[in-house]
Amino acid sequence: MNMFCYQCQETGNGKGCTALGMCGKTDETANLQDLLIYTLKGLAFYARFIFSSGKPFNLELKRKTGVIITESLFATITNTNFDPSRILSYTERALRHREALHKEYLKAVDAPSPVPGTGAANVIPESARWVYSSKKDLYQKSYTVGVLETRDPDLRSVKETITYALKGMSAYTYHAAVLGFYDDSIFDFIFDALFKIDTETQIEKLLPVVIKTGEYNLKALEVLDKANTAVYGMPSPVKVRTKPGTRPGILVTGHDLKDLEMLMHQSENQGIDVYTNGEMVLAQSLPFFRKFKHLAGNYGNAWWQQAEEFRSFNGPVLVTSNCIIPPDESYVKRMFTTSVAGFPGIPHIEEKNGTKDFSTLISLAKTLPPPAPLKDNEFMSGFGNKYLLSVKDKVIELVKDGKIKKFIVMGGCDGRETKRKYYKDKALTLPKDTVILTAGCAKYRFIKDISDTIEGIPRVLDAGQCSDNYSFLVFALELAKSLDIKDLNELPIEYDIAWYDQKAVAVLLTLVYLGIKKIKFGPTLPEFLTQYIIKNIKDKSDISTVYKE
């Protein structure tokens, strides 16, 4: 066994990837990601003490620490960063920052530098005090800090469930921080949760952290929603174009709107078009981006269809976050990454002095042919908070009149698993009095095939990215308030959540925190969830799989 990873829905043989990740991740990258997470636990020890000690602290230092941790956790999400050198650089940065916090820690405890094995060192976890002298030491260390170091499967299950949800929460928190929006209590929780995962051995003390992770992920979703709307405006319903134009283009995939913003400014009046892909479709409904005439539409579908669609696009492809898959030779030379994304041999565009230079992509685009058309229908998107709340009274009237009998949330992550045809089959066979609420890339299974309405209310309401599932939670809470319903489970809403990576795990725990029952999660339940942890959250939610053999 060269590695062990079971964080995603495609985990090898349903048990865990042990030689090469099903995603394409090498054992080298997998082990270095384990080392990075271990290092972040040590960093969190100092952060937890310094920023929760009650003594004055530097808020800028706290936020810098929080961003280092959330960016690093984000980089370990499935299909985000395959580049071992980049993962190693995150670890070295975390170790440097750990030493800076160690000095602050000594000031806080008013003690001399601890000596291993004596005094204060006895209460400092090993993750916070290990040292290295060469990269060889880092590689050797990476083989000793993996998931299986926690021997008890139930304790491991609880710890990994929290860890994976923290990764998802960190993605949302980092996107908001890039736009200058923070909720510092989220950083406090992440510091504390990482410390407890590292040091706690009593499973009963960790179980409450599972639910609390869902609570703080809800806060992270709220902050990101505020950030996106404050900077880019309120989304509004829009018919998304899917037929490409005749000019050369650049395709932007991932989730980072800030990267797209910079590219739109730099590519304006350059004789090229810019297209969104996957969950970047959110930009199509935001006022800020709609003002750019060269935002030409959305090209393609969910992440797992990249090989065929990127080949057909013909122009440069910019990956801003997850999801990226090992590239095909037909487009690898016109592919670029930025932000947390990375793949060995693919040029990475770094930020310098608060900006990024996309001139290489723009110049390359001008030399390449325009995108080849795909056989895709147009579809509607942009049904966020503003729209949902604006039609709340009408929706209530339609519900009372029996014209809308059910809402079903079918959002989340898509994937290659053939069992995922469940989502399309179900969507296409739902009664005409059912409205589908969706966000994330799972929508591409059915959104282009359903265009009818119920007295003007579209039967498929797409809010955008996976983080925009927050809009449906807000809608449900407001709907319950208007109907004087105390229990969200009394609303005519079902939840069929598609999962692939760790963001969906974070959203699942948020639903559990809100006490939502009867959650279908699929197409298969996570391998890292043992029956023990499932049993211990059944008083909150009854989680089952959408797919039945």
Side-chain angles (χ1 to χ4, degrees):
M1 184 181 295
N2 300 321
M3 59 176 279
F4 184 82
C5 181
Y6 64 172
Q7 69 176 5
C8 85
Q9 194 268 328
E10 289 185 344
T11 187
N13 300 314
K15 298 297 180 183
C17 296
T18 58
L20 178 72
M22 291 293 291
C23 62
K25 179 171 61 178
T26 64
D27 58 338
E28 177 188 13
T29 300
N31 291 319
L32 289 175
Q33 287 182 351
D34 287 341
L35 178 63
L36 173 57
I37 293 169
Y38 182 73
T39 304
L40 297 176
K41 293 173 183 176
L43 180 57
F45 164 80
Y46 291 117
R48 177 178 180 268
F49 186 93
I50 294 166
F51 304 125
S52 302
S53 65
K55 296 184 179 182
F57 62 82
N58 184 320
L59 180 59
E60 184 178 344
L61 179 63
K62 177 179 180 178
R63 289 181 174 174
K64 179 179 180 181
T65 304
V67 169
I68 286 175
I69 289 178
T70 53
E71 182 184 9
S72 298
L73 284 172
F74 189 2
T76 68
I77 284 180
T78 305
N79 285 348
T80 300
N81 198 315
F82 293 81
D83 190 344
S85 64
R86 292 272 312 288
I87 299 300
L88 199 59
S89 70
Y90 281 128
T91 301
E92 292 174 316
R93 179 183 65 170
L95 287 169
R96 290 192 299 270
H97 195 67
R98 191 193 71 179
E99 291 309 302
L101 289 193
H102 177 230
K103 294 176 182 177
E104 296 297 318
Y105 168 81
L106 294 178
K107 294 177 185 176
V109 298
D110 193 27
S113 181
V115 177
T118 64
N122 291 329
V123 298
I124 300 177
E126 202 271 345
S127 62
R129 52 188 171 88
W130 68 276
V131 295
Y132 75 101
S133 58
S134 67
K135 280 188 170 57
K136 181 179 179 181
D137 291 341
L138 292 175
Y139 274 92
Q140 289 178 337
K141 185 72 174 177
S142 74
Y143 281 92
T144 67
V145 293
V147 173
L148 296 180
E149 293 305 305
T150 302
R151 301 296 182 183
D152 181 89
D154 291 328
L155 179 61
R156 182 193 313 140
S157 175
V158 175
K159 288 189 174 188
E160 294 309 305
T161 299
I162 298 169
T163 299
Y164 301 153
L166 287 179
K167 292 184 180 190
M169 183 197 310
S170 291
Y172 303 140
T173 303
Y174 180 72
H175 282 311
V178 167
L179 297 177
F181 284 73
Y182 303 89
D183 178 339
D184 295 303
S185 69
I186 296 173
F187 290 146
D188 288 327
F189 173 73
I190 292 174
F191 300 155
D192 187 60
L194 285 171
F195 169 73
K196 287 177 178 174
I197 294 168
D198 187 28
T199 60
E200 186 56 67
T201 58
Q202 296 184 46
I203 195 169
E204 297 80 7
K205 292 185 178 181
L206 282 171
L207 284 171
V209 183
V210 174
I211 308 302
K212 203 167 184 179
T213 305
E215 176 185 358
Y216 277 87
N217 184 62
L218 181 59
K219 291 186 176 185
L221 292 171
E222 180 181 13
V223 175
L224 181 54
D225 181 73
K226 287 180 179 178
N228 285 341
T229 55
V231 177
Y232 302 116
M234 285 286 184
S236 59
V238 61
K239 180 173 283 189
V240 179
R241 293 168 292 177
T242 57
K243 183 179 179 180
T246 58
R247 302 198 305 179
I250 295 174
L251 187 62
V252 185
T253 191
H255 302 77
D256 199 297
L257 295 174
K258 184 65 176 178
D259 289 328
L260 180 60
E261 174 191 343
M262 289 185 280
L263 176 63
M264 295 308 297
H265 281 300
Q266 294 176 34
S267 60
E268 196 169 17
N269 300 319
Q270 294 287 326
I272 61 173
D273 291 325
V274 174
Y275 296 82
T276 57
N277 171 262
E279 296 189 47
M280 287 299 291
V281 69
L282 173 62
Q284 302 288 338
S285 65
L286 295 173
F288 175 87
F289 293 103
R290 289 172 68 174
K291 71 183 182 183
F292 290 98
K293 294 181 180 179
H294 66 303
L295 182 64
N298 193 71
Y299 190 91
N301 298 275
W303 60 270
W304 59 275
Q305 295 167 280
Q306 284 179 23
E308 177 183 350
E309 294 175 349
F310 288 4
R311 184 186 309 122
S312 299
F313 184 74
N314 294 326
V317 177
L318 177 65
V319 185
T320 66
S321 68
N322 62 310
C323 295
I324 180 175
I325 64 174
D328 185 87
E329 289 184 3
S330 63
Y331 62 84
V332 66
K333 292 183 179 179
R334 49 185 171 86
M335 195 170 195
F336 300 80
T337 62
T338 192
S339 187
V340 295
F343 197 90
I346 291 180
H348 186 78
I349 299 174
E350 298 281 4
E351 179 179 320
K352 295 181 180 179
N353 300 319
T355 190
K356 297 180 182 180
D357 182 1
F358 294 114
S359 59
T360 301
L361 279 82
I362 296 168
S363 297
L364 178 60
K366 293 177 180 180
T367 69
L368 296 171
L374 299 172
K375 295 180 180 180
D376 278 342
N377 297 327
E378 293 183 330
F379 61 96
M380 296 294 295
S381 187
F383 299 103
N385 297 340
K386 182 179 179 181
Y387 173 84
L388 293 174
L389 296 181
S390 72
V391 299
K392 181 184 66 173
D393 293 340
K394 183 174 183 179
V395 167
I396 290 173
E397 180 183 338
L398 292 172
V399 170
K400 289 181 176 179
D401 291 345
K403 295 177 180 178
I404 294 179
K405 291 185 178 178
K406 184 186 294 183
F407 297 90
I408 182 166
V409 179
M410 295 179 70
C413 313
D414 197 19
R416 290 168 283 221
E417 178 72 54
T418 56
K419 294 176 182 177
R420 290 177 181 269
K421 71 184 185 67
Y422 164 92
Y423 294 98
K424 182 170 184 175
D425 291 346
K426 181 160 186 176
L428 296 182
T429 55
L430 286 170
K432 299 296 184 179
D433 54 14
T434 302
V435 173
I436 300 173
L437 306 174
T438 190
C441 62
K443 62 172 164 274
Y444 288 109
R445 288 274 170 177
F446 52 80
I447 195 170
K448 298 173 183 178
D449 299 308
I450 303 174
S451 58
D452 54 323
T453 66
I454 303 175
E455 294 195 8
I457 304 295
R459 284 194 53 236
V460 178
L461 298 172
D462 172 46
Q465 299 185 349
C466 57
S467 61
D468 295 304
N469 278 291
Y470 173 76
S471 291
F472 305 137
L473 298 177
V474 171
F475 179 59
L477 291 168
E478 289 298 318
L479 201 61
K481 186 186 299 183
S482 296
L483 294 171
D484 196 27
I485 291 175
K486 306 299 181 185
D487 186 347
L488 290 178
N489 296 292
E490 295 178 18
L491 290 170
I493 303 178
E494 292 184 4
Y495 299 85
D496 278 20
I497 306 298
W499 87 282
Y500 178 81
D501 71 20
Q502 298 74 63
K503 293 181 181 179
V505 177
V507 172
L508 170 66
L509 294 190
T510 293
L511 295 177
V512 173
Y513 161 71
L514 290 171
I516 293 173
K517 305 285 187 182
K518 302 294 182 183
I519 302 170
K520 292 182 181 178
F521 199 60
T524 56
L525 288 180
E527 184 62 30
F528 57 81
L529 284 183
T530 63
Q531 287 303 309
Y532 174 86
I533 189 171
I534 292 174
K535 179 181 178 181
N536 276 276
I537 61 177
K538 271 191 176 293
D539 62 328
K540 285 278 187 182
S541 297
D542 186 6
I543 303 172
S544 62
T545 175
V546 299
Y547 181 81
K548 303 298 181 185
E549 295 287 352

